[in-house]
Every structure is written in C-alpha cells, then in structure tokens.
Amino acid sequence: MGAAVVALITPFTIAAAETASTALSEVVVTAQKREQRALEVPISIDSFGTDFVEQARIARIDDFIKFSPGMTGYTYGVSNPRLVIRGVLGTDFGIGGDATLGVYVDDFFIGRQSASVTQLLDVRQVDVLKGPQGALFGRNSTAGVVSIATQRPGNELAGYVSVAAGNLDYREINAAVDLPASERAKFRIAARKRQRDGFMTNVVDGSKFDESDNLTGRVSALLEPNEAWEILAVAEVGQTEGVPPGLKSSYRILGDLLGVTPEVASGLFSPNTDLDPFSDSFSSDLPRTGDSRWVDDQDYWHTYARAVWRRESWSVTSITGYRSYDLDFGNDEDGTPLLLLHTFQAEEGRQFSQEFRVNYDADRLHAVGGVSYLDERVDVLGRAQYDETLYLVGTRPLAEERAIADTDNTGWGVFGDVTYEFTDRLSGSVGVRYSRDEKTFSQRIPTDPVRGFNLVFFPTVDPAFRRSDTWSSTQPRVALRFMLTPEWMTYVTATKGYRSGGYNSFAFQPAFAAETIENLELGVKGAAFDNRLILQFAAYTYAYDDLQVLIPQGGAFIVRNAAEASGLGAELSLTAQPHDTLNLYATLSSVDAEYDNFVAAPGDDRSGNRLARSPRFSGSLGGDWSVPLGARMKSVIRASYFYTSKQYFESRNTEFASQDAYGRLDASVSFGPADDRWSVALFGDNVTDERYLLNAPGLFGDAWIPAPPRQYGVRADFRF
C-alpha cells in the first residue's frame, strides 16, 4: 500500500468490524491505476475508510491534517486552501497558476485550487498519496494526490440518517439511501446539511465571524448491462454560504507609522480590542451586508461518468466529467476599523476533462497506459477599496480599483506504467508521462479615473493584454519492490513531478516558468500476528528546481522562479490490536525542508530558511476501546491526540508569522447495540481548548487568524 502512516485509519476500521481481518493487508487501493492490496503498492499512502471518516466527523480534505502526519496547512474560509504535504506548498497566484495537490473524486479530476475544498459527502474511502505522482496522475500533483471514492449504490434498500448538534450553534444532518431498480441498475441518493456559527466577534458591530452553512447533494447510478460493463454516473451539487475568520491586527505597522506602541495605536483606533492573538475579538469596518461585504460563498455542480469494460486480462476505462463553480470572497485585509484595504474576488469557472486508459494484468506482467485531456475557462473580477485620505493621495473616503482577468487552459498527457514480477519476491515498475499545457491569459487593469494612477493594482493594463504560452514536461517513475515475506515488503521509488508555468493575476508581469521536483523514497511495511500488528516506515528526499514564489516588488507581488529547495524526511506508523476490543496507533513524521537558494530582493536572502508550514516534527496517538454492556449493547470510547512542532507561516521565517509547538486532543464516547443499528455519541474537538494560530497574514503580514476554540456536542446515527 505504501509507506509510513498508511494505516492511520486501521484502528477505527477494525473497531467498526470488531475483527482483525480488516487490517492493512486487506485494504484495496488504486494508487497505480489498478486495484491492488495495500501491501503491494510501493507508494506512500494514508488510507481512510467510511467508519473513520464518519466517527472523526471529517467533512473536508483539510480535516485530515490532524490525522495524517506530514500533511499541514489550513483553509481560510471555504474557498482558500493552503494544504502542504512534506513541506511542498503551492503558493496561490490566482487563476493563472495551478495547485500542487491533485484532487480526484472517483477518478474525476478537480482542477482549480479554490474548488478543491471538496465536501466529503458519503465517502467509501479516501487515499492520501504522498510525494510527486506525475507519472500516473499528471498535472497538479507535485505534493501528492487526494483520491476520494464515493459510496456506490447497493443491492438492497438500505441507508442511514445521522444528526448532530453542539455549541457555536453547530447543526448537521446526513442521510443516504440505496434504491436498487434491478440487479443491473442501482441508485443512491445522499445529502448533507451542515452549519456552524462563528466564534470571532467584531467589536465594531457585534457580528460573528468564521461561520459556514453548507448544503450538498449527490445522486449516483451504477449500471451493469452485462458481465463486461460497469458504468458509474454521478451528479453532485453544493452550496456554501459563509463568513471567513476575521483578521486580528497586531497594530505594529500603524504603531510604527505613528511612532507609538501597538498598544497605544490599538487604543486610538479600537479601544475595545485586545492584542492577544488568541482572543476571539477583533475590529473591522467592513460590513456584513451590501455589494462590498465580508463574504465567503461558493456554489458548484459537477457530473461525471466512469465506464469500465473488462474481458479476461484486459480492461478499458473512460472517465468523462464536467464541473462548474462560482465563488465570492470579501475580506478586510488590514483588520482594523480603518479603510486601509478591503479586497473582493468574484470568480467563475468551468472544466471539462476526459481520460481513457487500458489495463492489462497477467501472471507476472501488469501494465496501464492512456491519455488525458483537460479544458477549462476561469473568469475573475478583483476589487480593492481604500480610503485615499489615509495614504495622502486624494480626498475620497472610498476609492476603488479593479482588475479583470480570464484564462483558457488546455492540457493533455500520454502515460504508461509497466510492472513486471521477476520472481515471486522481486518486482519492478517503470512509468512515464508526457504532459503539455497551453494557457491563454487576458488581463485588464484600468487606471483610477479620478486620480490618474493606481495604488494597489499597477501598472495600468488598459486595453486588455492577451498572451499565450505552452509548457511541457516528461515525468518518469521507477520503483522496485522486494517481498521479504508474504506479509513484509521493502521498496524504493524515484519520481518526478511538474507544475505548469502560468501568469500572475494579481499583478502585470511576463509568464513564469514551470517548476519541477525530483523525489527518492525508501520504505518498509508489513503485518504480523494475524494482522494485529502493522508497522510502516518511509524515508525520502526531494529537490525543487525553479520553485515558483511570490516576491514583493515595488508594492506589488511578483511571481518568479527564484528559488531552489530541498527536503529530507521520514515517517513511521505503528498500529496494534492487542485485543479484539482494543485498537491503538502511533505515528511520527519528521521533515527538514529548506530553501537552498532564495534571494527575494537585494538584502533579503532567505536561503537556509525552512519551507513554509513544514514543522520539523509532527505525530499522533490514538485508539478506540469497545466495551461490551451485556450481550446486546456496547460503548465505544475513542481518543486521538495530534502534536506538531514549531512552524513558520511564510518564507521569511519571522517570529511574528509562526506558531510554537502545540497539541490537540479530540475524544468521543458512544452507546448503542452491538449490531450498530443505531448509536448515540458525545464528542469533543480540541477538548483542552488549546489556542493556536492558523496563519498570520493581512496587510504587510500584520494580523493573526486564531484557530477555533473547543467544540462539543451530541450525535445520533440510525441505519436501516
């Protein structure tokens, strides 16, 4: 299956089945574009099943951060993910750039970074593949891949309903039902309504921030017209309305400009706001209503079909999909009652993708080859508002600048991968993908008609400037696997990843080049004592070339291929089932990732700094204990503890933009019958109310975003 921390889910999976037979060696994954036992795959993977996702109340991809060591980051609101695997972070350059983490739902590719905060509704399994996956998955996978498998329609009328409620006015209802029409036509309907009030208070008007209200629905059809064909067709729609976390200004910049301390500056402009970065109060002049407001809304719909034809040793797979989304985002960048800078983004996108692949499986030879195609169009309107009297450039209390951009992107790839079993113990894999990406980017930045020059979006680009560029790359993969015993293996892999070049939609500049990453990994994994003890280990090293970075220049942020970086790390996991009712796990991740060569500007040499959001150590401890209560009832006690060492939020490695080491404890206790027909549970997230920062952004990097406080509630599940 892969390297370290792969079996993070295993204790919870075993607990659900109350048997050791569902341990790691029985987990099936498709990391190499074909179904294999987890133990057979020479790739680092964390695999999470249905029971774990449900019991941990995982709703989005970023919720896995506290369970998958080596994965860090956060999502600002509902549409701004900053996810990192092993220190590999994709900086957001707007619609002209690409992500570093590929997201797939039933093999359907979710292309845009802003659209990848996928709601995990009614999932069957989630696999997190670590390290570059370019040969098999192509673009946007230099950090890794998150592969989501949804629940398939069942053979009989069945389903579930789950309801939950808690503090911060948290409410959630999940439901799904199987509707088989015949043995060859089955349907499934799933839906979720999830909402939570904010925990941050704006002292200006008393409103709450960091709230969300999500509604997601899906209809799936599984058609099997004969023994050779299987067609999965899915349609999904989602709507999220929210307000992002408020930015807590430190008042350092205002204090320096006025020649006073931050405390004095805060007292002058916001006397009711304290300067504790972990407190729940902040101040903002941006309203919650109107065209220019705090907002974090996203609507989407997508549909895809996965058709598979099988005959003896051959299979042909087609994945066809279309996705459309639009989002609105508004933010007070300075986090003060002054109108220093408010930014707004309205984005619309659509995407069509197609992949064909052919698999061949014989006794010793396994091969896959195919082609993939992507076509997408994204439009964005960016607005910046400020009080020009504060900058001494005019008399208007409300000035606005605009930037309009759109991009048409096409990408295609040809790939192949062959595995040959030289002996019963030794096998080797060789794969390669050729990728070609073309982008046509248009940008228009009008000049402020009153003042005659811009402060935020500059230089002026009017009329619109349109340009096209093409990037291509060959991404190889080589792997050797040696079975030490039938249940223990060791492997070594060498892979290359590629992220396409692009354009900076935040400022006018020439196109930036593609970046590449080369990765070498050695791993050992296996199971013992009838799969009651599972150990996995991986060590890796990687090197970045032409790393795409944001560099401040003349008041704007320019994207350049200005950095080289490298990383060295290791991951370890241990899962044990000492008794049928007791499951324990422990994980540890260590990474030393730094910039080898990065001069951001004259006098600003960041070489030797740690990569952003790459803590040196992270790990977790947890388990579950199923306590029989007579012959028919049981109680399940679950706990998980996540720890991370100090990390920096950006490449300057300043103490202000950092978070010291912290730990987080989640726990729950449930009660119900032994057959799991129903259960009632009490849960607590961040039980000890640990206060820590998610980020330190804002105007000039002068603000904080605290993590949510302790959350608790009750949940009831019913199955039929």
Side-chain angles (χ1 to χ4, degrees):
M1 175 176 180
V5 205
V6 181
L8 185 58
I9 178 178
T10 306
F12 299 89
T13 307
I14 297 172
E18 293 192 344
T19 173
S21 64
T22 55
L24 173 65
S25 60
E26 300 303 322
V27 176
V28 176
V29 297
T30 57
Q32 297 189 123
K33 300 288 187 179
R34 57 190 173 95
E35 290 188 352
Q36 296 174 274
R37 287 195 315 149
L39 188 61
E40 298 174 346
V41 183
I43 298 175
S44 299
I45 311 174
D46 298 340
S47 190
F48 304 85
T50 301
D51 295 304
F52 180 85
V53 172
E54 290 179 355
Q55 297 303 325
R57 301 188 310 109
I58 292 175
R60 304 188 311 188
I61 292 174
D62 54 314
D63 290 335
F64 287 114
I65 289 172
K66 59 181 180 287
F67 301 112
S68 181
M71 186 177 186
T72 61
Y74 83 114
T75 296
Y76 184 49
V78 300
S79 56
N80 289 274
R82 300 291 184 271
L83 301 180
V84 185
I85 293 181
R86 295 177 170 178
V88 179
L89 167 66
T91 306
D92 184 13
F93 310 132
I95 66 171
D98 291 301
T100 58
L101 182 64
V103 178
Y104 292 79
V105 181
D106 293 325
D107 286 345
F108 170 54
F109 176 57
I110 308 295
R112 287 284 97 196
Q113 177 166 288
S114 56
S116 67
V117 190
T118 303
Q119 295 292 325
L120 298 178
L121 167 67
D122 195 37
V123 302
R124 174 167 50 94
Q125 185 167 308
V126 179
D127 297 327
V128 180
L129 285 64
K130 298 182 180 181
Q133 305 296 325
L136 289 171
F137 290 89
R139 70 199 314 268
N140 294 18
S141 60
T142 52
V145 163
V146 175
S147 178
I148 303 165
T150 63
Q151 289 284 9
R152 294 193 166 198
N155 295 320
E156 58 184 35
L157 180 65
Y160 67 84
V161 176
S162 175
V163 295
N167 65 326
L168 299 179
D169 205 19
Y170 161 70
R171 287 163 289 171
E172 180 174 357
I173 180 169
N174 286 273
V177 60
D178 286 321
L179 300 170
S182 68
E183 290 185 358
R184 299 196 178 277
K186 308 157 193 172
F187 301 88
R188 186 177 179 91
I189 301 174
R192 170 197 289 145
K193 173 71 172 178
R194 180 186 178 107
Q195 63 187 71
R196 192 205 72 183
D197 285 352
F199 71 95
M200 300 184 69
T201 302
N202 184 1
V203 299
V204 173
D205 59 11
S207 58
K208 296 291 186 178
F209 282 69
D210 193 17
E211 65 180 34
S212 64
D213 187 347
N214 168 260
L215 178 63
T216 308
R218 180 192 304 131
V219 177
S220 305
L222 182 61
L223 308 177
E224 298 170 296
N226 54 49
E227 297 300 323
W229 281 95
E230 178 187 272
I231 302 170
L232 176 67
V234 176
E236 181 173 309
V237 61
Q239 179 185 62
T240 299
E241 297 179 353
V243 179
L247 302 187
K248 287 182 58 67
S249 176
S250 68
Y251 288 89
R252 297 184 310 157
I253 301 299
L254 280 177
D256 291 343
L257 291 175
L258 298 174
V260 297
T261 65
E263 290 77 11
V264 172
S266 174
L268 290 173
F269 300 108
S270 183
N272 295 323
T273 303
D274 62 68
L275 294 183
D276 179 2
F278 306 110
S279 70
D280 298 338
S281 66
F282 77 108
S283 58
S284 171
D285 60 314
L286 184 60
R288 290 281 299 273
T289 59
D291 293 334
S292 299
R293 69 186 190 280
W294 281 99
V295 65
D296 190 9
D297 295 350
Q298 181 171 175
D299 301 330
Y300 77 89
W301 68 270
H302 65 228
T303 182
Y304 56 87
R306 185 181 187 273
V308 182
W309 175 83
R310 297 182 178 92
R311 184 171 182 178
E312 297 179 349
S313 300
W314 296 88
S315 68
V316 179
T317 304
S318 169
I319 304 105
T320 307
Y322 182 88
R323 181 180 177 97
S324 175
Y325 75 93
D326 63 84
L327 64 87
D328 290 290
F329 186 78
N331 192 22
D332 184 346
E333 297 287 351
D334 56 90
T336 73
L338 304 177
L339 210 174
L340 290 170
L341 181 62
H342 297 166
T343 60
F344 309 93
Q345 176 182 344
E347 180 177 317
E348 297 180 355
R350 58 103 181 128
Q351 166 201 313
F352 170 80
S353 63
Q354 174 67 56
E355 178 173 301
F356 293 106
R357 66 173 181 258
V358 179
N359 287 75
Y360 175 77
D361 289 287
D363 289 341
R364 293 191 178 275
L365 180 65
H366 311 276
V368 59
V371 296
S372 60
Y373 175 78
L374 174 74
D375 179 89
E376 66 175 351
R377 163 82 183 202
V378 187
D379 297 85
V380 65
L381 167 63
R383 297 184 295 130
Q385 295 179 348
Y386 51 86
D387 183 347
E388 63 183 10
T389 65
L390 299 175
Y391 296 93
L392 305 179
V393 295
T395 59
R396 290 176 297 173
L398 177 61
E400 180 174 281
E401 298 177 18
R402 296 192 169 203
I404 304 100
D406 62 74
T407 183
D408 288 286
N409 305 331
T410 58
W412 60 271
V414 181
F415 64 92
D417 192 86
V418 177
T419 298
Y420 186 76
E421 299 175 12
F422 300 104
T423 70
D424 292 341
R425 302 175 69 182
L426 178 65
S427 65
S429 301
V430 177
V432 66
R433 176 186 289 261
Y434 175 79
S435 299
R436 182 179 175 88
D437 296 284
E438 180 178 349
K439 297 181 179 181
T440 300
F441 186 77
S442 176
Q443 193 173 34
R444 177 172 173 258
I445 304 177
T447 301
D448 184 285
V450 176
R451 194 173 54 246
F453 63 90
N454 294 336
L455 283 181
V456 179
F457 296 122
F458 58 95
T460 296
V461 184
D462 198 9
F465 185 81
R466 196 168 187 84
R467 52 210 189 269
S468 297
D469 283 277
T470 301
W471 298 268
S472 62
S473 175
T474 300
Q475 302 153 77
R477 167 182 180 261
V478 179
L480 282 175
R481 185 195 69 186
F482 184 74
M483 300 300 298
L484 301 168
T485 72
E487 296 298 330
W488 285 87
M489 67 163 285
T490 183
Y491 69 89
V492 59
T493 61
T495 57
K496 179 181 179 180
Y498 146 86
R499 181 161 67 144
S500 170
Y503 305 96
N504 180 8
S505 60
F506 299 143
F508 179 73
Q509 67 167 96
F512 50 86
E515 67 180 25
T516 59
I517 181 173
E518 296 179 350
N519 184 81
L520 180 65
E521 182 170 313
L522 173 67
V524 179
K525 55 185 175 179
F529 305 113
D530 193 23
N531 294 329
R532 288 180 179 270
L533 178 67
I534 301 167
L535 183 145
Q536 302 179 71
F537 172 81
Y540 60 87
T541 180
Y542 62 79
Y544 252 121
D545 252 342
D546 294 325
L547 182 62
Q548 300 165 1
V549 292
L550 274 175
I551 298 176
Q553 179 175 301
F557 285 93
I558 305 299
V559 182
R560 289 184 178 172
N561 300 90
E564 296 178 357
S566 61
L568 178 68
E571 297 166 342
L572 174 70
S573 74
L574 180 66
T575 302
Q577 189 185 36
H579 188 271
D580 286 348
T581 62
L582 180 62
N583 304 281
L584 306 170
Y585 74 90
T587 69
L588 178 64
S589 174
S590 174
V591 59
D592 185 10
E594 64 179 31
Y595 296 99
D596 299 323
N597 182 20
F598 182 15
V599 179
D604 186 5
D605 187 351
R606 303 180 188 180
S607 303
N609 286 3
R610 292 188 62 81
L611 295 186
R613 299 191 177 277
S614 59
R616 192 173 300 276
F617 297 103
S618 63
S620 56
L621 293 169
D624 57 77
W625 181 27
S626 181
V627 183
L629 302 175
R632 297 183 179 181
M633 307 299 288
K634 68 176 180 179
S635 177
V636 180
I637 302 169
R638 297 180 176 89
S640 63
Y641 181 78
F642 168 74
Y643 169 85
T644 180
S645 63
K646 182 176 182 177
Q647 60 181 296
Y648 295 99
F649 296 138
E650 42 81 55
S651 60
R652 290 179 298 175
N653 285 191
T654 62
E655 290 301 314
F656 178 82
S658 69
Q659 170 59 52
D660 289 336
Y662 70 90
R664 170 181 168 139
L665 175 66
D666 299 338
S668 68
V669 57
S670 65
F671 171 81
D675 62 5
D676 292 321
R677 281 289 181 178
W678 60 266
S679 67
V680 177
L682 299 175
F683 65 84
D685 296 338
N686 192 10
V687 173
T688 60
D689 202 24
E690 183 76 11
R691 307 315 301 266
Y692 57 96
L693 296 177
L694 295 176
N695 202 6
L699 186 63
F700 311 120
D702 189 45
W704 301 291
I705 298 178
R710 175 174 45 231
Q711 299 176 65
Y712 52 87
V714 61
R715 168 176 168 162
D717 298 318
F718 307 90
R719 299 185 182 276
F720 57 90

